């Protein structure tokens, strides 16, 4: 079967990795897959068409913001209009050049939505499928109300026009079902188990020395530093409480994002610079090694629409490495952590609850080892190869 994905981000972005890993697994099962994607920095993109792990990748336009290094750069109104227009036409042209049995939109958003209506529906006279992996209205930061309204329109429209919908959380499946969309298949986020293995001890020791972590009890956060949908501030508020009980603890924050300067300034004002390390943006290939330095990872969340709609990659990737996870009991996180058997679930939105869980786990080596073993076993259930089989079910 020939399958074309229309995604509005690069394949190395968090959501982009979802589609790239699904595509790679589909190729391994004998299907032909092409990804039409938007690049985070198209002007400096070295390859706009290439094959990776058997998947054809075509970069057909620029993302809505330029994302290079640790801080995204937003376009002005006129430049943004130009980017959206050229990227939409680029994706329509990609559809014209990509005869397929199935077209699957990664996220119901304006650019790939227009390409679906005009390129797939009007020109190719075919239907399309949609993947919903987020709450696009509440999970994005908008500078004007009209932008929010446009995203709400496409998020409402596209799943209702699609021949089928894939979702990454039961919350999204229930929301769609309540609004009349019943043709949905549940495909949570997963992990490439072969790539998430503990690095060599010598390599870890060298990295620990380079980051000044010798003799420190490392707790990690991995992900975007955008407080709109990743409340890292909850973890930072909990951190002084952790230090009061475990003075040798060190918080390793892996990732970049628009709120990185704000978080760094807060750490400085609170005199926490000696116990908090920011890596800034790193390629995803570096994440397993950095995360392996930690005794646990933390995913701080509020109990809100954003958290309920997310299936965090970071949870399954951390479990695959044998690094126990602490997160809020929100949405699918309970099922991902086997209802507390493969990780620690705490009250969402509470710095005190986060601090208590971190302290307890740092002081209980036996429990950490039990959770690490259970996490590795649980991660096998979320291998991309298994999830790709579920994904194919939407085309039946």
């Amino acid at each position: 079967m020939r399958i074309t994905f229309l995604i509005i981000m690069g394949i190395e972005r968090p959501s982009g990795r979802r589609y790239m890993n699904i595509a790679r697994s589909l190729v391994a099962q004998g299907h032909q897959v092409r990804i039409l994607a938007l690049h985070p920095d198209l002007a400096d993109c070295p390859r706009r068409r290439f094959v990776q792990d058997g998947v054809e990748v075509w970069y057909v336009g620029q993302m809505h913001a330029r994302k290079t290094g640790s801080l995204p750069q937003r376009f002005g109104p006129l430049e943004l209009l130009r980017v959206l227009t050229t990227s939409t036409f680029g994706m329509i042209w990609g559809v014209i050049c990509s005869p397929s049995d199935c077209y699957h939109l990664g996220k119901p958003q304006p650019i790939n939505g227009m390409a679906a209506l005009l390129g797939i529906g009007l020109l190719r006279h075919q239907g399309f499928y949609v993947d919903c992996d987020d709450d696009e209205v509440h999970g994005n930061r908008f500078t004007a109300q009209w932008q929010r309204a446009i995203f709400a329109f496409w998020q409402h429209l596209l799943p209702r026009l699609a021949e089928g919908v894939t979702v990454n959380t039961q919350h999204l499946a229930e929301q769609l079902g309540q609004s009349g969309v019943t043709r949905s298949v549940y495909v949570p986020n997963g992990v490439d188990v072969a790539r998430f293995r503990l690095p060599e001890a010598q390599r870890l020791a060298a990295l620990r020395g380079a980051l000044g972590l010798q003799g420190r009890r490392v707790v990690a956060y991995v992900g975007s530093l955008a407080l709109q949908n990743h409340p890292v501030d909850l973890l930072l508020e909990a951190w002084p409480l952790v230090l009061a009980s475990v003075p040798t603890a060190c918080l390793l924050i892996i990732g970049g994002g628009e709120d990185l300067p704000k978080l760094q300034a807060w750490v400085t004002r609170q005199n926490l610079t000696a116990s908090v390390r920011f890596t800034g943006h790193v390629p995803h290939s570096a994440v397993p090694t950095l995360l392996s330095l930690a005794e646990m990872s933390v995913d701080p969340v509020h109990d809100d629409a954003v958290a309920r709609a997310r299936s965090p990659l970071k949870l399954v990737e951390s479990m695959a490495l044998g690094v126990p996870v602490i997160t809020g009991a929100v949405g699918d996180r309970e099922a991902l952590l086997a209802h507390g058997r493969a990780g620690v679930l705490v009250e969402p939105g509470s710095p005190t609850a986060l601090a208590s869980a971190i302290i307890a786990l740092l002081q209980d080596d036996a429990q950490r080892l039990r959770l690490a073993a259970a996490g590795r076993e649980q991660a096998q259930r979320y291998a991309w190869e298994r999830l790709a089989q579920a994904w194919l079910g939407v085309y039946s």
Side-chain angles (χ1 to χ4, degrees):
M1 185 162 55
R2 294 174 301 176
I3 304 168
T4 296
F5 289 161
L6 287 70
I7 70 174
I8 47 79
M9 76 293 290
I11 61 171
E12 294 298 327
R13 306 300 301 177
S15 288
R17 296 201 304 274
R18 170 176 172 82
Y19 305 117
M20 184 62 195
N21 279 301
I22 290 289
R24 180 189 294 120
S25 298
L26 293 175
V27 167
Q29 295 175 31
H31 302 284
Q32 299 176 20
V33 185
R34 177 178 293 171
I35 297 179
L36 307 178
L38 303 183
H39 197 273
D41 188 16
L42 189 67
D44 289 333
C45 176
R47 298 184 301 165
R48 298 197 181 186
R49 292 189 185 184
F50 56 92
V51 176
Q52 182 172 316
D53 297 333
V55 180
E56 283 190 74
V57 179
W58 289 17
Y59 280 118
V60 297
Q62 167 67 46
M63 285 179 62
H64 67 281
R66 181 175 290 116
K67 297 187 177 182
T68 60
S70 296
L71 297 175
Q73 303 170 34
R74 297 194 176 274
F75 298 109
L78 291 179
E79 182 66 7
L80 179 60
L81 179 61
R82 184 193 68 79
V83 166
L84 294 178
T85 301
T86 56
S87 293
T88 300
F89 278 111
M91 193 155 284
I92 292 172
W93 178 249
V95 169
I96 294 172
C97 298
S98 304
S100 293
D101 301 301
C102 299
Y103 295 93
H104 208 130
L105 279 61
K107 290 181 173 290
Q109 288 198 8
I111 293 176
N112 57 359
M114 286 296 295
L117 296 184
L118 299 178
I120 302 171
L122 186 62
L123 299 178
R124 289 209 164 272
H125 306 290
Q126 290 180 239
F128 58 86
Y129 300 83
V130 175
D131 181 62
C132 298
D133 76 332
D134 209 344
D135 185 323
E136 304 300 329
V137 177
H138 297 97
N140 286 289
R141 182 175 293 180
F142 301 105
T143 57
Q145 189 60 35
W146 63 266
Q147 295 174 337
R148 183 181 299 275
I150 289 175
F151 270 67
F153 169 77
W154 288 102
Q155 181 171 262
H156 175 83
L157 177 68
L158 291 172
R160 286 156 181 79
L161 296 180
E163 295 189 2
V165 181
T166 48
V167 295
N168 71 338
T169 62
Q170 297 290 359
H171 170 76
L172 288 173
E174 291 168 7
Q175 276 197 325
L176 289 170
Q178 290 169 4
S179 62
V181 179
T182 57
R183 306 176 308 279
S184 66
V185 172
Y186 174 57
V187 185
N189 277 330
V191 63
D192 185 341
V193 177
R195 298 189 183 192
F196 274 79
R197 298 186 183 278
L198 283 176
E200 297 177 357
Q202 186 176 2
R203 186 178 179 187
L204 285 178
L207 184 57
R208 184 178 291 274
L211 293 173
L213 297 175
Q214 302 98 322
R216 308 299 295 266
R217 309 292 301 278
V218 180
V219 177
Y221 166 83
V222 182
S224 174
L225 303 184
L227 297 178
Q228 172 77 15
N229 45 30
H230 299 280
V232 188
D233 50 339
L234 288 175
L235 178 54
L236 289 177
E237 289 177 34
W239 197 243
L241 301 176
V242 175
L243 291 175
S245 294
V246 188
T248 57
C250 187
L251 178 58
L252 181 63
I253 298 180
I254 305 165
E258 55 197 335
D259 289 316
L260 173 60
K262 180 188 295 186
L263 295 170
Q264 289 174 320
W266 191 91
V267 166
T268 300
R269 287 197 304 272
Q270 299 298 317
N271 296 317
L272 295 173
T273 52
S275 65
V276 179
R277 305 278 192 278
F278 291 91
T279 68
H281 173 75
V282 298
H284 187 250
S285 58
V287 169
T289 304
L290 287 166
L291 186 54
S292 297
L293 296 171
E295 298 183 43
M296 69 197 69
S297 68
V298 182
D299 171 41
V301 292
H302 294 290
D303 187 1
D304 56 18
V306 174
R308 290 191 291 271
R310 286 186 180 272
S311 173
L313 285 159
K314 68 187 80 172
L315 298 190
V316 193
E317 292 176 346
S318 187
M319 289 192 296
L321 283 170
V323 178
V325 174
I326 298 173
T327 189
V330 180
D332 283 15
R333 288 167 177 79
E334 292 192 59
L336 284 171
L337 300 188
H339 303 280
R341 294 191 299 276
V344 179
L345 294 160
V346 301
E347 177 189 353
S350 171
T352 304
L354 277 179
S356 297
I358 293 169
I359 293 166
L361 208 51
L362 284 173
Q363 294 176 342
D364 191 340
D365 293 339
Q367 175 67 352
R368 279 205 321 281
L369 291 174
R370 283 194 294 270
L371 290 175
R376 289 192 187 96
E377 181 179 349
Q378 178 73 349
Q380 301 295 325
R381 297 165 56 90
Y382 295 91
W384 286 116
E385 294 81 3
R386 298 182 63 176
L387 298 177
Q389 289 287 351
W391 185 279
L392 285 171
V394 78
Y395 305 138
S396 299

